[in-house]
Amino acid sequence: MRIGIDVGGTNTDAVLMDGTKVISSTKSPTTQNVSEGITKALKTIIEATQLDVSKLDGVMIGTTHFTNAVVERRRLTPTACIRLGLPATVCLPPMVDWPDDLAETIGRNYYLAHGGHEFDGREISAFDPDEIRGIAEQIKAKGLNAIAISSVFSPVNAVFEEKTAEIVKEVIPDANITLSSTIGRIGLLERENAAIMNACLRELAVKTVSGFKQALRDMNITAPFFISQNDGTLMNADFAADYPVLTFASGPTNSMRGAAFLSGLKDAIVVDVGGTTTDVGVLQQGFPRVAAMAVDIGGVRTNFRMPDTLSIGLGGGSLVEAEPLKVGPQSVGYELITKAKVFGGDTLTTTDIIVAAGHEDIGDKSKVSDVDAVFAKAVEDRIEEMVNVAVDRMKTSATAMPVIVVGGGSILIQRKVEGASEMIKPEHFAVANAIGAAIAQVGGETDRIFALAEMSREEALEQAKREATERAVSAGAKAETVEIVDVEEVPLAYLPGNATRIMVKAVGDLAGA
Amino acid sequence: MARSSLQEVTLADTHALAIGAGILGTGGGGNTYIGRVWLEHELKKRGGSIPVIQVDDVPDDALTVAIGGMGAPTVGIEKFPKGDEYQNAVRALESHAGQKMFALVIGEIGGSNALRPIICALQMGLPVVDGDGMGRAFPELQMDTFAIAGLSLTPMALSDVHGNVSILHQADSMYRVEAYARSLTIEMGGSASLAMPMLKGKELKETIIRDTLTLARDMGDAVLKARKRGLEPSDDIAALGHGRVLFRGKITDVERRTTQGFARGKLKLAAFGDPNDQMEIVFQNENLVAWHNGEVVCTVPDLICIVSLEDGEPIGTEMLRYGLRVAVLGMPAPRELKSVAALKVVGPEAFGYTEVTFAAMPGDLIG
């Protein structure tokens, strides 16, 4: 059995699953101290089901904790960055395009050194151990131990990043080092940005992960626990403490994966209605379609593969105004249970309209008996229009597709969405995100340039697939279950030898669960 | 449309310029993000601005040179320049010619090459000329108005991050210049900094496509203004280039292959709400020919620009993917690209589309 927990900005959801069956679920407000919220959710689930915790195979946690830390510029550790590539890359130093407040929070402590590779594996300049040692001494003198290391074309050859890490460790034994090659893809600034963000989150990650561990220990849970990544796969606790940056945007991914699981569909539109926003995304072969553009996190450009979702200001707590008719984007959010009319408050929300229209019986419906039926219908029309437009914008073709509706605010969707072949509101729709966490697999990715003059395309693909598979296994996947789920080849213009960039993603079932 | 010419480039212009140059890249020319951040970094570090002059302000016997980057966009997002490569190339040509440069020229307004001369001008304290040699982006050196007019591409200087500068003094054809420059670029790590052709003021006046730097700024401004007001900018962008929106829809298929070092491919789009209303576009780094329901509606050298429907962000051919919601803009080529001589070099036939004849969109990009 597994427990999946999703710690969102508003609610902490948890589910207990036995294989593919949902045994129990719970939803409670997220607490300031994330571990306390998790403990509370676990307690509720365990008490409700009289669960023998020794039967648990794993606990999967999805959290926005680290994204929020960057967005709020809090709990970040001052960090140094060493980039290898001199004499190249001087024109754009590390953190050059960061928002000033964030850059100042962690300091612009960057150092450029010789090294780096060309696209074809040649060295840009020789690696100089003494130069690195000198830089490490300077970093040590500043009292910094969070360090990001990047090197030009390290996705092609990471050896200089690794050598640098060794030397830094000699000088600063307790250094907390992040190598860009272990995190990102081609695109030096974006990969380096991710490495720096990861380095500045490591201290928080170690604390948070040990907080989670403590929360589990308090409940006598000895099963391993995992944290969700943005691509819908899991990492084990120790890996998560090392790579907190990989949790960014795991929330929308989890709810889409949960929707796929609950509906049994692999290709569909997912409409996730929360308290404040509705996120619309597209499932392709069971995974969220990823965004093509660079993604900003807290104002910093990254090249993570984020789910391509469209967020609109419509949720169960959205404010409804009469003249002129307005629905959202303002929302009472987590205060819905005190502020909405049906709950005895004085704010008219979308939830009140749905109750007034007689679709649902939530709270005290007599409190909305004064809502005019014509007005309620007009609001419903507006909600329908908002959802229709959002779904149409995300669709990949005019062909009708199934629409899966999930999330706590799903009651808003009472009508068939335009262009939907069918409407599915699966059981347990309100906790799809926690289910997505519970059922997640383990993945590995590779992104490299291959010279097809030196090997055949088949050999290159084979090698890329092998690397991705190895990464999946080292992240905790059962080797025999690993499948290649995504292969992308981009021929590189202007380069000789048929240079081709190959990106491969592999996923497999979690070992021991 | 009456527009006021750009007088100088300041920090306030960088964003608009990067977007406008991206749009004029017609799918190629490279991403302008790196160039924009580099330009902003230099402006913050040095202060000041870059004067923009009209080509008529360049004395007939004064010397100018066009500059730009050469190489693969993927290398460009990984191995950035040191910073002084362009200056090194320009200085080498100055000493070769025994004359100082009066101003720098943009070789290619479309894509990343639009910003390089501006950065170099700031570093060298020179003005940059409002105009360029393409009015868009093209994949090869000989596809600019300077080469089309028969002006010599040599002497040409190519430099790398290590301070190596190579001058090609003389070549028997412009194709040879392209071939040698490409070989050297590979040796230099897949990207290099290029200064060529060197032009006298008189030659520049006869060949340059005027006002394209201002056009790029104006297009970018239109996008930024529309974003602020939450409007779709496609019509405004197309109007600035005297063109129109050819299609609005979703990308339904992208097919790619690589031949002779070029990224070629075909793109299919379907209109919103009507899957039978379709557009097909072929590209070779840049978008080349667009068919609307089987009819040719726009061909190279006219501009086929794809922008993100919601926010007008230009979408390069490397970023095209299934499901993107886009507007396809068609704009007439500048008149300099439509002469018989020019069409031999930049018409559909030059890109291997022998079955397609160039049917010019009405009007000109500039004017």
Side-chain angles (χ1 to χ4, degrees):
Chain A
M1 284 193 282
R2 296 172 163 197
I3 288 179
I5 302 175
D6 181 274
V7 189
T10 312
N11 286 315
T12 296
D13 299 342
V15 293
L16 173 65
M17 295 186 70
D18 187 0
T20 57
K21 204 169 148 242
V22 179
I23 309 280
S24 175
S25 67
T26 170
K27 205 180 233 326
S28 55
T30 294
T31 50
Q32 191 69 32
N33 179 327
V34 180
S35 298
E36 277 172 22
I38 288 177
T39 305
K40 194 165 157 246
L42 282 170
K43 246 189 199 137
T44 310
I45 285 266
I46 291 168
E47 277 165 17
T49 57
Q50 296 296 308
L51 175 71
D52 173 3
V53 294
S54 68
K55 293 204 171 124
L56 278 176
D57 296 308
V59 177
M60 288 75 182
I61 301 173
T63 176
T64 53
H65 199 50
F66 303 117
T67 319
N68 291 345
V70 172
V71 172
E72 294 164 11
R73 280 89 165 112
R74 290 195 296 141
R75 297 165 297 207
L76 305 176
T77 311
T79 296
C81 175
I82 307 173
R83 181 201 285 172
L84 309 165
L86 284 181
T89 79
V90 177
C91 76
L92 292 170
M95 305 174 73
V96 63
D97 197 27
W98 284 42
D100 285 333
D101 61 340
L102 182 54
E104 278 151 23
T105 302
I106 67 167
R108 288 191 195 266
N109 307 296
Y110 59 80
Y111 304 87
L112 299 181
H114 289 82
H117 288 85
E118 305 284 8
F119 71 94
D120 55 6
R122 282 178 293 161
E123 294 178 5
I124 293 175
S125 57
F127 180 80
D128 180 352
D130 292 333
E131 185 184 18
I132 300 298
R133 202 159 285 120
I135 289 170
E137 291 291 354
Q138 290 181 55
I139 293 172
K140 187 181 181 183
K142 281 193 179 179
L144 301 171
N145 76 341
I147 298 156
I149 300 170
S150 65
S151 181
V152 175
F153 275 114
S154 63
V156 172
N157 190 338
V159 65
F160 289 159
E161 288 189 1
E162 288 157 6
K163 281 187 180 172
T164 302
E166 280 169 31
I167 294 170
V168 170
K169 275 273 182 200
E170 285 167 22
V171 178
I172 310 170
D174 68 338
N176 220 331
I177 297 172
T178 301
L179 305 186
S180 82
S181 53
T182 60
I183 284 191
R185 315 189 293 143
I186 286 172
L188 177 63
L189 273 188
E190 292 84 356
R191 185 176 71 249
E192 181 178 81
N193 286 346
I196 297 169
M197 278 197 277
N198 193 69
C200 79
L201 284 168
R202 283 279 292 282
E203 200 179 314
L204 175 66
V206 169
K207 266 189 215 148
T208 306
V209 169
S210 76
F212 290 172
K213 272 188 185 160
Q214 189 58 48
L216 297 182
R217 216 176 294 133
D218 291 347
M219 307 299 301
N220 296 316
I221 296 172
T222 52
F225 81 95
F226 301 88
I227 300 210
S228 335
Q229 302 189 60
N230 52 32
D231 64 357
T233 60
L234 297 170
M235 43 190 170
N236 66 40
D238 295 335
F239 194 83
D242 285 346
Y243 297 106
V245 84
L246 299 179
T247 63
F248 289 1
S250 59
T253 305
N254 276 343
S255 78
M256 290 181 66
R257 293 276 296 150
F261 172 81
L262 289 171
S263 64
L265 294 174
K266 297 211 155 187
D267 296 279
I269 308 268
V270 178
V271 178
D272 180 0
V273 192
T276 305
T277 61
T278 293
D279 295 330
V280 181
V282 180
L283 281 170
Q284 286 174 336
Q285 283 105 49
F287 284 87
R289 183 176 76 201
V290 293
M293 313 280 180
V295 186
D296 269 16
I297 311 256
V300 178
R301 189 174 160 107
T302 70
N303 59 4
F304 289 122
R305 296 182 153 202
M306 297 293 197
D308 185 13
T309 55
L310 176 66
S311 194
I312 58 170
L314 173 69
S318 294
L319 305 194
V320 175
E321 286 166 32
E323 293 196 9
L325 176 61
K326 196 169 166 238
V327 179
Q330 279 77 34
S331 166
V332 293
Y334 68 94
E335 292 178 307
L336 180 71
I337 46 168
T338 53
K339 290 205 162 167
K341 287 202 162 189
V342 289
F343 295 119
D346 56 3
T347 311
L348 186 65
T349 66
T350 47
T351 296
D352 296 314
I353 297 292
I354 297 299
V355 172
H359 297 300
E360 301 278 340
D361 191 357
I362 300 169
D364 181 355
K365 66 180 170 192
S366 70
K367 296 260 169 66
V368 291
S369 57
D370 60 329
V371 174
D372 177 52
V374 176
F375 176 66
K377 186 176 173 301
V379 175
E380 282 197 82
D381 289 347
R382 175 61 61 86
I383 292 172
E384 179 183 16
E385 187 195 333
M386 290 168 82
V387 175
N388 280 348
V389 169
V391 167
D392 186 60
R393 280 173 58 184
M394 293 306 288
K395 277 177 72 177
T396 51
S397 81
T399 318
M401 280 182 87
V403 172
I404 311 168
V405 183
V406 295
S410 298
I411 55 160
L412 296 194
I413 316 286
Q414 294 288 338
R415 301 179 187 174
K416 188 161 183 257
V417 172
E418 238 170 64
S421 58
E422 54 178 321
M423 297 290 294
I424 298 147
K425 200 180 282 184
E427 217 186 330
H428 309 295
F429 60 83
V431 290
N433 44 12
I435 291 169
I439 57 142
Q441 294 174 297
V442 184
E445 214 178 283
T446 188
D447 176 1
R448 293 217 285 125
I449 294 174
F450 290 88
L452 297 186
E454 289 161 20
M455 60 174 87
S456 71
R457 178 172 164 272
E458 286 68 31
E459 282 169 341
L461 279 172
E462 217 30 66
Q463 190 175 329
K465 286 176 184 174
R466 200 163 51 238
E467 283 174 19
T469 304
E470 279 163 11
R471 287 186 182 191
V473 171
S474 76
K478 242 183 280 180
E480 64 274 20
T481 65
V482 176
E483 275 182 280
I484 303 297
V485 293
D486 192 20
V487 178
E488 204 176 324
E489 286 177 73
V490 181
L492 301 186
Y494 299 114
L495 293 184
N498 270 334
T500 296
R501 177 174 168 185
I502 300 179
M503 292 162 269
V504 175
K505 187 166 138 188
V507 297
D509 292 337
L510 198 55
Chain B
M1 197 171 297
R3 300 198 301 264
S4 60
S5 293
L6 191 58
Q7 301 294 318
E8 57 173 356
V9 174
T10 68
L11 260 178
D13 303 306
T14 55
H15 212 138
L17 274 177
I19 294 171
I23 293 168
L24 290 169
T26 63
N31 193 295
T32 54
Y33 172 76
I34 297 291
R36 170 172 70 79
V37 177
W38 183 8
L39 174 58
E40 286 169 356
H41 185 58
E42 290 277 340
L43 276 166
K44 282 179 196 161
K45 207 167 64 183
R46 293 166 192 265
S49 62
I50 302 98
V52 178
I53 58 170
Q54 298 302 302
V55 66
D56 293 325
D57 299 334
V58 182
D60 279 355
D61 58 351
L63 202 57
T64 65
V65 68
I67 62 178
M70 177 133 189
T74 307
V75 175
I77 61 169
E78 183 67 34
K79 181 192 164 195
F80 314 132
K82 172 169 181 253
D84 60 3
E85 291 89 332
Y86 292 102
Q87 288 182 68
N88 291 341
V90 172
R91 300 249 188 260
L93 285 181
E94 283 181 337
S95 82
H96 190 77
Q99 189 179 345
K100 292 280 178 196
M101 297 296 165
F102 181 85
L104 295 183
V105 174
I106 298 167
E108 179 182 39
I109 191 69
S112 56
N113 277 338
L115 299 169
R116 306 286 193 253
I118 301 172
I119 294 163
C120 186
L122 176 66
Q123 293 171 334
M124 299 184 73
L126 291 175
V128 67
V129 179
D130 191 354
D132 80 304
M134 293 185 178
R136 46 167 296 156
F138 280 123
E140 293 175 44
L141 293 180
Q142 72 273 9
M143 291 177 167
D144 64 28
T145 50
F146 315 127
I148 290 166
L151 298 174
S152 173
L153 298 189
T154 54
M156 172 205 84
L158 206 58
S159 70
D160 71 6
V161 298
H162 302 287
N164 299 306
V165 185
S166 164
I167 288 186
L168 182 62
H169 172 68
Q170 189 178 311
D172 64 346
S173 77
M174 57 177 84
Y175 296 96
R176 194 89 71 187
V177 175
E178 164 84 24
Y180 284 14
R182 207 162 282 286
S183 303
L184 204 50
T185 297
I186 301 299
E187 195 50 45
M188 287 175 163
S191 70
S193 305
L194 178 72
M196 69 114 240
M198 210 161 64
L199 302 161
K200 293 277 184 190
K202 185 168 185 305
E203 295 169 319
L204 191 65
K205 286 169 200 167
E206 288 164 357
T207 51
I208 196 170
I209 302 165
R210 296 168 189 239
D211 303 329
T212 51
L213 185 59
T214 295
L215 178 65
R217 194 273 315 256
D218 290 348
M219 283 183 172
D221 263 351
V223 169
L224 293 174
K225 278 191 188 122
R227 275 184 201 172
K228 221 175 251 168
R229 291 157 55 202
L231 301 174
E232 188 205 321
S234 323
D235 289 308
D236 293 344
I237 305 169
L240 283 165
H242 304 126
R244 64 183 175 92
V245 176
L246 300 174
F247 199 78
R248 287 183 173 87
K250 285 173 256 197
I251 298 177
T252 56
D253 191 44
V254 185
E255 184 190 311
R256 297 174 198 277
R257 67 208 149 87
T258 182
T259 37
Q260 290 140 29
F262 291 112
R264 295 173 204 259
K266 190 197 274 183
L267 170 74
K268 285 183 186 156
L269 300 120
F272 300 108
D274 182 2
N276 296 319
D277 186 9
Q278 296 181 347
M279 175 159 279
E280 230 176 85
I281 298 170
V282 289
F283 56 86
Q284 175 191 312
N285 299 357
E286 286 79 30
N287 302 312
L288 296 178
V289 184
W291 289 266
H292 189 184
N293 296 326
E295 297 272 321
V296 173
V297 286
C298 195
T299 75
V300 67
D302 284 350
L303 288 70
I304 302 169
C305 311
I306 300 178
V307 299
S308 166
L309 192 67
E310 279 91 41
D311 63 4
E313 192 67 24
I315 298 177
T317 52
E318 300 204 323
M319 288 154 68
L320 292 170
R321 65 192 301 154
Y322 185 84
L324 287 183
R325 300 168 295 277
V326 301
V328 181
L329 319 177
M331 291 180 259
R335 84 179 64 81
E336 292 84 347
L337 296 180
K338 292 185 278 199
S339 68
V340 176
L343 285 175
K344 267 190 199 150
V345 185
V346 298
E349 211 167 325
F351 293 91
Y353 293 93
T354 44
E355 76 285 9
V356 178
T357 38
F358 174 59
M361 292 186 73
D364 296 305
L365 184 70
I366 302 291

Coordinates of all heavy atoms in Angstrom, one line a residue, chain B residues 53-64 102-103 105 129 199-202 204-205:
Chain B
I53 N 22.5 56.2 -36.7 CA 22.5 57.2 -37.8 C 21.8 56.7 -39.0 O 21.6 55.5 -39.2 CB 24.0 57.6 -38.1 CG1 24.8 56.4 -38.5 CG2 24.6 58.3 -36.9 CD1 26.2 56.8 -39.1
Q54 N 21.4 57.6 -39.9 CA 20.9 57.3 -41.2 C 22.0 57.1 -42.1 O 23.1 57.6 -42.0 CB 20.0 58.5 -41.7 CG 18.8 58.8 -40.8 CD 17.9 57.6 -40.6 OE1 17.4 57.0 -41.6 NE2 17.7 57.1 -39.4
V55 N 21.7 56.2 -43.1 CA 22.8 55.9 -44.1 C 23.3 57.2 -44.8 O 24.5 57.3 -45.2 CB 22.4 54.8 -45.1 CG1 21.2 55.2 -46.0 CG2 23.6 54.3 -45.9
D56 N 22.4 58.2 -45.0 CA 22.8 59.4 -45.7 C 23.8 60.2 -44.8 O 24.4 61.2 -45.3 CB 21.6 60.2 -46.0 CG 20.7 59.5 -47.1 OD1 21.3 58.8 -48.0 OD2 19.5 59.6 -47.0
D57 N 23.9 59.9 -43.5 CA 24.9 60.6 -42.7 C 26.3 60.0 -42.8 O 27.2 60.6 -42.2 CB 24.5 60.5 -41.2 CG 23.1 61.1 -40.9 OD1 22.7 62.0 -41.7 OD2 22.4 60.7 -40.0
V58 N 26.4 59.0 -43.6 CA 27.7 58.4 -43.8 C 28.4 59.0 -45.0 O 27.8 58.9 -46.1 CB 27.6 56.8 -44.0 CG1 29.0 56.2 -44.1 CG2 26.9 56.2 -42.8
P59 N 29.5 59.7 -44.9 CA 30.2 60.2 -46.1 C 30.5 59.1 -47.1 O 30.8 58.0 -46.7 CB 31.5 60.9 -45.5 CG 31.2 61.0 -44.0 CD 30.2 59.9 -43.6
D60 N 30.5 59.5 -48.4 CA 30.7 58.5 -49.4 C 32.0 57.7 -49.3 O 32.1 56.5 -49.6 CB 30.7 59.2 -50.8 CG 29.3 59.5 -51.3 OD1 28.4 59.0 -50.6 OD2 29.1 60.1 -52.3
D61 N 33.1 58.4 -48.8 CA 34.4 57.7 -48.7 C 34.7 57.1 -47.3 O 35.7 56.6 -47.1 CB 35.5 58.6 -49.2 CG 35.6 59.9 -48.4 OD1 34.7 60.1 -47.6 OD2 36.6 60.6 -48.6
A62 N 33.7 57.3 -46.4 CA 33.9 56.7 -45.1 C 33.8 55.2 -45.2 O 33.1 54.7 -46.1 CB 32.9 57.3 -44.1
L63 N 34.4 54.6 -44.2 CA 34.4 53.1 -44.2 C 33.4 52.6 -43.1 O 33.4 53.1 -42.0 CB 35.8 52.6 -43.9 CG 36.2 51.2 -44.4 CD1 36.0 51.0 -45.9 CD2 37.6 50.9 -44.0
T64 N 32.7 51.5 -43.5 CA 31.8 50.9 -42.6 C 32.0 49.4 -42.7 O 32.6 48.9 -43.7 CB 30.3 51.2 -42.8 OG1 30.0 50.6 -44.1 CG2 30.1 52.7 -42.8
F102 N 33.8 54.3 -39.7 CA 33.0 55.4 -39.4 C 31.7 55.0 -38.6 O 31.2 55.7 -37.7 CB 32.6 56.1 -40.7 CG 31.7 57.3 -40.5 CD1 32.3 58.6 -40.3 CD2 30.3 57.3 -40.6 CE1 31.5 59.7 -40.1 CE2 29.5 58.4 -40.4 CZ 30.1 59.6 -40.1
A103 N 31.3 53.8 -39.0 CA 30.0 53.3 -38.3 C 30.0 51.8 -38.6 O 30.7 51.2 -39.4 CB 28.8 53.9 -38.9
V105 N 27.5 48.3 -39.3 CA 26.4 48.0 -40.1 C 25.8 46.6 -39.7 O 26.6 45.7 -39.3 CB 26.7 47.9 -41.6 CG1 25.6 47.4 -42.5 CG2 27.2 49.3 -42.1
V129 N 24.3 52.0 -38.2 CA 23.4 52.5 -39.2 C 22.0 51.9 -39.2 O 21.9 50.7 -39.0 CB 24.1 52.3 -40.6 CG1 23.2 52.8 -41.7 CG2 25.5 52.9 -40.7
L199 N 32.4 48.2 -46.4 CA 31.7 49.0 -47.4 C 32.1 50.5 -47.3 O 32.1 51.0 -46.2 CB 30.2 48.8 -47.3 CG 29.7 47.4 -47.4 CD1 28.3 47.3 -46.9 CD2 29.7 47.0 -48.9
K200 N 32.3 51.1 -48.4 CA 32.4 52.6 -48.4 C 31.0 53.2 -48.3 O 30.0 52.5 -48.7 CB 33.0 53.1 -49.8 CG 34.4 52.7 -50.0 CD 35.3 53.7 -49.3 CE 36.8 53.3 -49.6 NZ 37.7 54.1 -48.7
G201 N 30.9 54.4 -47.8 CA 29.6 55.0 -47.6 C 28.8 55.0 -48.9 O 27.6 54.8 -48.8
K202 N 29.4 55.3 -50.0 CA 28.7 55.3 -51.3 C 28.1 53.9 -51.6 O 26.9 53.9 -52.0 CB 29.7 55.7 -52.4 CG 29.0 55.9 -53.7 CD 30.0 56.6 -54.7 CE 29.4 57.0 -56.0 NZ 28.8 55.8 -56.7
L204 N 27.4 51.6 -49.5 CA 26.3 51.3 -48.5 C 25.0 52.0 -48.9 O 23.9 51.3 -48.8 CB 26.8 51.8 -47.1 CG 26.0 51.4 -45.9 CD1 26.1 49.9 -45.7 CD2 26.5 52.1 -44.6
K205 N 25.1 53.2 -49.3 CA 23.8 53.9 -49.7 C 23.1 53.3 -50.9 O 21.9 53.3 -50.9 CB 24.2 55.4 -50.1 CG 24.5 56.3 -48.9 CD 25.1 57.6 -49.3 CE 25.9 58.2 -48.2 NZ 26.7 59.3 -48.6

